[in-house]
Amino acid sequence: MRKKVASITLGCKVNDYDTKAMLARFGANGYEIEDDFSSFADIYLINTCTVTSLGDRKSRQMIRRAKTKNPNAIVIAAGCYSQTAPEDVADLEEVNIVIGNKDRNNIVEIVENYDIEKNETYVNVENIRYEKIFEELKIKSMGEKTRAFLKIQEGCNEFCSYCIIPYSRGNNRSRNFTNIINEAIELAATGYKEVVLTGIHIASYGKDLKNTTLAELIKEIHNIDNIERIRLSSIEPMVITDKFLNTISTLPKVCDHFHLSLQSGCDKILKSMNRKYTTTEFKRSVKMLREVMPNVGLTTDVIVGFPGETEMDFANTVAFIEEIGFASMHIFPFSSKKGTRAYNFKEQISPQSKANRAKLLKQIERELRHTFLQKFINKELNVLFENETENGIYEGYSTNYIKIESKTDELIKNKIKNVILTQNNTQKGIGLIV
């Protein structure tokens, strides 16, 4: 009987990609992959997150939960929490194997060489800061999804004062250009029409290779038959240059949706965060994008209650957000993370103030989303339909990342359709075609 592997991913899309790559290794070696983490399995893989203290806590909870499903299972804790706090993870009695963000291609060999009878925790974690080579983790399928995430880069050199990622992922390491193209070709052959270029800091792609750039990579993927859409995950506003836009503006497969990470609309706070741009520079990037892509959907992340953020600083952020007019936002109350410079910053903001600011921004986000959706009522949108939520109702996304619901008798999963947006359901944050 084949051994079963169940998994759960905590955190970002990069972690999700890494999990699928590790599962692909198990699948290629004859293991049966369980879709449901709560199922009985012989091996449980928890790909952990450590961006916040909440991520640490959830990681510990999932590790403990795995053992309750099968006390005799091998429990593997992999990923960012394991990388930054291997001793803490190894101290959990439910853990058998601890793997960081390296040597994940060897996960099957590590498991098969593990002797559970010895009742010892095996720790395979090295200092990721010295790693200079991108670890090839290859996937051919994203399961039932119709958009495929394609990892092009690992690590980050930015060292924002609130962020633990450079310590958990290491420095920027770009993936080999040819390997990316080959995986994109395989994904296209599998039937994926859209690829999402992802990584920890994709704006840095190519800087360590010296002979290519993100724009050149996008251009080459654009030439792949059957890839009909190219979407970028989060990028920094300073990527938006004349040279970059001159390239992508000639590539119709590039989606008119950009997730430009803002974090704060106050220059004082941006400087304290060690962000590498000002609000003026951010605004210039937005202006340049809208000149090239008039219907562009701009999404972002915002941290509220960063240490030292006064009421006036927050008011500046609110005013800046309203001026930009984002299509949607992810809003996070600042979470102090041990190991980052901001952990020791003075003038910490009270939890109540952070909650109040987050609540206000969420209300503003709903209003901005409504305004953005309303612009496209009775307009034609190009939509990739992804799945059927109930009988005859399909969900999908437009190129500029408007979530669409449409009721039809036609089988339209994984099909791209031009549709007319007829309703704006602000509460759900979607457009409706009825």
Side-chain angles (χ1 to χ4, degrees):
M1 181 180 294
R2 294 195 299 165
K3 289 187 176 182
K4 297 180 179 180
V5 182
S7 69
I8 191 166
T9 304
L10 301 169
C12 63
K13 296 297 184 183
V14 179
N15 251 17
D16 190 46
Y17 180 99
D18 293 343
T19 299
K20 286 181 169 59
M22 287 186 279
L23 291 177
R25 294 286 296 153
F26 278 110
N29 283 273
Y31 290 77
E32 182 178 342
I33 308 302
E34 286 286 344
D35 293 331
D36 188 352
F37 182 70
S38 63
S39 299
F40 181 92
D42 303 286
I43 299 162
Y44 290 92
L45 170 63
I46 299 93
N47 203 2
T48 63
C49 175
T50 193
V51 170
T52 65
S53 298
L54 179 60
D56 294 348
R57 187 163 70 249
K58 284 185 176 179
S59 297
R60 292 191 294 269
Q61 288 172 349
M62 293 303 105
I63 289 166
R64 293 186 175 111
R65 183 176 299 177
K67 215 67 167 181
T68 65
K69 303 299 178 184
N70 178 7
N72 297 316
I74 294 177
V75 175
I76 309 165
C80 292
Y81 182 38
S82 295
Q83 180 66 53
T84 58
E87 298 87 358
D88 293 347
V89 177
D91 281 344
L92 299 173
E93 63 179 358
E94 295 86 356
V95 169
N96 300 104
I97 297 172
V98 182
I99 302 176
N101 283 321
K102 186 183 175 185
D103 294 332
R104 292 161 295 183
N105 258 326
N106 299 325
I107 190 167
V108 175
E109 291 81 358
I110 290 171
V111 168
E112 291 183 347
N113 288 328
Y114 177 76
D115 186 354
I116 196 169
E117 298 298 329
K118 288 185 178 181
N119 197 30
E120 296 176 352
T121 303
Y122 174 75
V123 179
N124 187 83
V125 179
E126 298 180 24
N127 190 337
I128 202 75
R129 296 284 305 281
Y130 299 107
E131 191 62 30
K132 295 182 179 180
I133 305 299
F134 180 93
E135 181 182 21
E136 279 292 333
L137 294 169
K138 188 176 179 181
I139 60 175
K140 293 183 179 180
S141 173
M142 298 295 292
E144 292 297 313
K145 295 182 180 179
T146 56
R147 285 183 292 152
F149 288 88
L150 179 56
K151 187 175 177 181
I152 67 171
Q153 176 273 341
E154 179 69 275
C156 180
N157 297 352
E158 298 302 297
F159 289 93
C160 297
S161 62
Y162 54 83
C163 186
I164 197 70
I165 292 301
Y167 306 95
S168 64
R169 290 278 181 172
N171 293 329
N172 172 53
R173 306 181 301 285
S174 299
R175 187 177 183 184
N176 177 275
F177 190 95
T178 301
N179 290 347
I180 296 173
I181 299 305
N182 288 341
E183 184 168 325
I185 291 170
E186 290 182 356
L187 289 168
T190 305
Y192 293 100
K193 291 181 169 63
E194 177 177 315
V195 293
V196 184
L197 305 188
T198 191
I200 298 301
H201 194 262
I202 67 169
S204 297
Y205 180 79
K207 291 183 179 180
D208 54 328
L209 299 178
K210 308 300 182 186
N211 59 356
T212 190
T213 65
L214 178 61
E216 289 168 355
L217 177 65
I218 294 169
K219 189 174 182 179
E220 189 65 25
I221 293 173
H222 193 276
N223 293 330
I224 297 174
D225 291 339
N226 299 320
I227 294 292
E228 298 186 40
R229 286 181 169 190
I230 303 168
R231 197 181 297 276
L232 306 182
S233 61
S234 178
I235 61 171
E236 301 299 302
M238 302 313 291
V239 172
I240 309 302
T241 62
D242 287 331
K243 185 177 181 180
F244 181 79
L245 290 177
N246 286 340
T247 298
I248 67 168
S249 63
T250 65
L251 306 175
K253 293 181 182 180
V254 177
C255 291
D256 50 349
H257 162 234
F258 289 84
H259 188 87
L260 295 181
S261 188
L262 174 63
Q263 306 304 358
S264 175
C266 170
D267 285 332
K268 184 192 87 175
I269 298 301
L270 286 174
K271 185 176 181 179
S272 183
M273 289 177 167
N274 198 32
R275 300 294 286 175
K276 306 300 194 299
Y277 53 84
T278 64
T279 53
T280 299
E281 290 170 328
F282 190 101
K283 193 186 305 183
R284 185 188 307 131
S285 296
V286 169
K287 182 175 183 292
M288 293 168 67
L289 270 174
R290 284 177 169 156
E291 287 174 350
V292 173
M293 299 177 173
N295 293 328
V296 65
L298 295 176
T299 56
T300 197
D301 303 312
V302 180
I303 296 173
V304 298
F306 191 77
E309 183 186 66
T310 66
E311 290 294 339
M312 181 58 70
D313 296 333
F314 177 67
N316 288 338
T317 291
V318 170
F320 186 77
I321 286 168
E322 291 178 327
E323 180 183 3
I324 296 297
F326 292 102
S328 69
M329 301 186 295
H330 295 143
I331 299 153
F332 304 95
F334 172 73
S335 176
S336 184
K337 179 65 182 175
K338 188 175 182 180
T340 65
R341 288 195 291 120
Y343 182 78
N344 296 314
F345 281 5
K346 297 178 181 179
E347 299 181 81
Q348 296 284 336
I349 308 302
S350 71
Q352 187 59 54
S353 292
K354 287 190 282 190
N356 291 341
R357 293 174 189 181
K359 182 179 180 180
L360 175 59
L361 272 194
K362 286 176 182 177
Q363 176 58 40
I364 292 170
E365 194 270 345
R366 285 190 290 270
E367 295 167 0
L368 292 175
R369 189 177 348 131
H370 173 82
T371 300
F372 181 72
L373 288 171
Q374 199 64 27
K375 287 169 51 180
F376 298 96
I377 296 297
N378 298 321
K379 299 286 181 62
E380 186 176 78
L381 294 172
N382 183 265
V383 178
L384 170 60
F385 286 96
E386 299 191 1
N387 61 291
E388 185 177 8
T389 58
E390 52 186 284
N391 291 338
I393 297 179
Y394 288 84
E395 286 184 344
Y397 284 90
S398 64
T399 56
N400 59 353
Y401 212 58
I402 295 175
K403 189 175 182 180
I404 301 293
E405 278 190 358
S406 180
K407 185 173 178 60
T408 177
D409 293 329
E410 185 183 355
L411 300 177
I412 59 174
K413 181 176 179 178
N414 202 31
K415 292 184 179 180
I416 295 177
K417 297 285 187 179
N418 289 330
V419 298
I420 302 295
L421 184 63
T422 58
Q423 293 184 34
N424 173 358
N425 188 327
T426 304
Q427 185 175 2
K428 292 178 69 175
I430 61 174
L432 303 176
I433 297 96
V434 295

